[in-house]
Amino acid sequence: MKVKKIAVIGAGVSGLGAIKSCLEEGLEPVCFEKTNDIGGLWRYKHITENGNPGIYKSLTCNTSKEMTAFSDYPFPDHYPNYLHNSKLMEYLRMYASHFHLMEHIQFLSKVCSVKRHPDFSSSGKWDVVVETNGEQKTYAFDGIMICSGHYTEQYLPLSDFPGIKNFRGDYLHTWAYKNPDSFSGKRVVVVGIGNSGADVAGEISNVAEQVFLSTRRGAWIWNRVWDNGNPMDTILFTRYNRLIEKFLPTFMINKWAEDKLNARFNHANYGLQPKHRFLSHQSTLSDNLPNHIIAGRVLVKPNVKEFTETSAIFEDGTEEKVDVVIFATGYTFSFPFLESDPEILDSQNSRFKFVFPPQLEKPTLAFIGILQPIGATIPTSELQSRWVVRVFKGLQTLPPVSDMIADITRKRKKMEKEFVKSPRHVHRVQYIHYMDEIASELGVKPNLFSLFLWDMRLAKEIFFGPCTPYQYRLQGPGKWDGARQAILTQRERILKPLKTRVVEHPVPFSSSLPWAKSICVVFFLLVPVFVIILVMYN
Ligand SMILES: *[C@@H]1O[C@H](CO)[C@@H](O)[C@H](O)[C@H]1NC(C)=O
């Protein structure tokens, strides 16, 4: 059979994983990247261009390295757990060079349109028009992987802020914010308390005269440094927790989480207490926000009702003179190259597992990384790609259209029930749950039951330890021989970067007591129950 040619659109984290997955399955990828380099969102540029994502100089990953890695390429052990954007770029370059991805990328090539080939219904082929150096060329492809990103455009609802047009100071979106230098001595209001809002307000407050952080609904704030100094996600995102979560009612999980976060600082006293419960809205990850608030450098305010020429008037009637407004109102994305195909474009909120538009006669177009996992994006996109290439090759089939639509509808209903209504919630998924779902399609979900019988040490780490991406390389297509070792050494890689001053009698970093306790319970008291649960869980 002829080798299939696949177009990968975008060379960000999702695009790189897509190219790699194509190569792994013997497909022939051509990646079109409109800028002159890889990395997408993660490549810091001092000037942000329209249509491209923009990040600030200090941006640091909100997921830790062991949870963020490509599944067969752990971060070097000395890398810090939470990576600055420049470090993540280093890793992406190493990944691209290790797997020889660069030679499959065509830079400064903008995809203008993706259209079904005239005989699409029998061949599943696509015509792709690409512009390079001002010249347009049409290519034929057997499959399309859209990896153009989820955070490419600023979401700036100016109409929600009466008077902003008459405001005489400056206003900008965090998309264009780079560093705090130009805010020295200014009075600044930051609108929005997502991750960027909290980061930017905090960092500017070190040099500004005063920062106001305006929030409509408040937020639960969690932090990277969790119990005993472990990276938060390595402690919370475990299969053990996921199992407990499954059996606990929602109100108990909310209570546990909110008590835990309030123990660090009381959200009501700090003016941050949201109207929503913990699980029903995105939480904000910020290590520093409470420090800036208690130091008075950041004052929390309600929503801005209107702007005057020189000030902001908040919904509680208070008025503050401000020089600059920074909108941290989030991001959106679009697919201009799909405009001629409204059917695919409109499939936005109804894709099978966020990947395949269900109604296409041939499953030869996929969206990669167009979702918001509560967890790391790199492994999520990568797993989607591994599944997609198997479908492209015909080694795996999708369910009938009606089943796919039923699945989509069921998920949407569930989401509407669980989350506060917001356009951005449409793409939210729980990390382990979603990973396992795709892994089951692909046949790479770790089989805990047999591991429990044959490789207890590994089974324990998989079940109690952080649900790291290497777990999805233990079996099935794309099996990686290093996966077991990568899992068994993950805790060493977490500790390694901290060992820059070695202490003589170290107290074990992760508290061993509750750990040992739960193991004892499982081993001596609950073995039968445990086995039954595992069987159900698989
Ligand atoms: C990390 O930040 C992104 C962008 O704000 C967000 O969508 C995601 O949920 C965050 N992840 C975690 C674990 O907080």
Side-chain angles (χ1 to χ4, degrees), residues 172-187:
L172 66 153
H173 188 277
T174 44
W175 174 81
Y177 169 84
K178 296 298 160 188
N179 63 49
D181 295 351
S182 57
F183 300 91
S184 180
K186 299 253 167 85
R187 293 170 69 82

Side-chain angles (χ1 to χ4, degrees), residues 62-63 151 195-196 222 232 237 282-283 285 372-375 428:
N62 62 5
T63 49
Y151 299 103
N195 294 314
S196 337
W222 54 358
M232 179 264 286
F237 300 174
Q282 177 168 349
S283 307
L285 193 73
Q372 242 187 325
I374 306 173
R428 264 164 77 84

Side-chain angles (χ1 to χ4, degrees), residues 65-66 74-83 87 90-91 94 489-490 492-500:
K65 66 170 177 176
E66 290 306 317
F75 281 86
D77 59 359
H78 64 278
Y79 267 41
N81 284 285
Y82 285 102
L83 297 142
K87 272 271 189 251
E90 271 175 27
Y91 171 75
M94 279 158 38
T489 51
Q490 58 199 14
E492 288 161 33
R493 282 192 304 279
I494 293 174
L495 288 181
K496 171 79 185 189
L498 297 166
K499 294 200 168 146
T500 44

Side-chain angles (χ1 to χ4, degrees), residues 262-401:
N262 275 332
R264 182 173 168 233
F265 69 92
N266 182 305
H267 282 58
N269 291 345
Y270 275 55
L272 291 172
Q273 169 110 33
K275 297 173 191 123
H276 56 262
R277 302 303 307 267
F278 175 76
L279 282 177
S280 53
H281 200 280
Q282 177 168 349
S283 307
T284 296
L285 193 73
S286 174
D287 300 304
N288 296 329
L289 188 58
N291 308 349
H292 293 298
I293 293 175
I294 201 163
R297 291 194 294 266
V298 171
L299 302 177
V300 181
K301 294 295 244 173
N303 197 29
V304 177
K305 192 168 74 186
E306 63 173 302
F307 289 98
T308 70
E309 286 185 358
T310 53
S311 66
I313 302 176
F314 299 94
E315 269 170 2
D316 59 0
T318 55
E319 180 169 351
E320 295 289 350
K321 211 185 128 304
V322 291
D323 306 307
V324 189
V325 182
I326 300 183
F327 289 101
T329 38
Y331 297 86
T332 76
F333 55 95
S334 66
F335 308 106
F337 47 84
L338 283 175
E339 238 126 61
S340 60
D341 202 327
E343 195 194 348
I344 300 181
L345 204 55
D346 293 345
S347 73
Q348 188 89 255
N349 300 333
S350 51
R351 289 189 198 119
F352 185 51
K353 310 217 184 281
F354 299 95
V355 174
F356 289 104
Q359 268 116 344
L360 277 182
E361 298 104 312
K362 298 273 172 188
T364 53
L365 177 136
F367 291 82
I368 309 293
I370 310 298
L371 80 174
Q372 242 187 325
I374 306 173
T377 300
I378 290 181
T380 316
S381 299
E382 186 203 16
L383 196 58
Q384 288 179 328
S385 288
R386 289 171 62 197
W387 175 43
V388 165
V389 294
R390 301 279 295 179
V391 173
F392 281 2
K393 276 186 82 176
L395 295 173
Q396 245 155 310
T397 51
L398 298 181
V401 177

